[in-house]
Amino acid sequence: MKQIKWPLLFFAFAAASCMIGIGIAIGERSIAGAIFCVIALVFVMGFGFKKKKQMREAGEL
């Protein structure tokens, strides 16, 4: 079994939390909350993909 890549796991949980936040914001009818969560999701996923590329290039994946 391979080692757990903790940074990637953190980004996955953060992205899932943003998606959950979008659902909660929609349920609460908060446009600002939904927009904030969408923007946060884009940044978190972007940083996650960037980190994965860096790890791949360094031979850690």
Side-chain angles (χ1 to χ4, degrees), residues 8-52:
L8 299 180
L9 183 65
F10 167 75
F11 284 121
F13 277 123
S17 297
C18 290
M19 290 178 202
I20 291 168
I22 293 169
I24 291 171
I26 290 171
E28 294 289 329
R29 296 182 182 177
S30 171
I31 301 293
I35 291 172
F36 173 76
C37 287
V38 168
I39 292 170
L41 177 64
V42 169
F43 280 112
V44 167
M45 289 191 71
F47 284 126
F49 284 126
K50 183 178 175 183
K51 180 67 174 173
K52 186 173 181 179

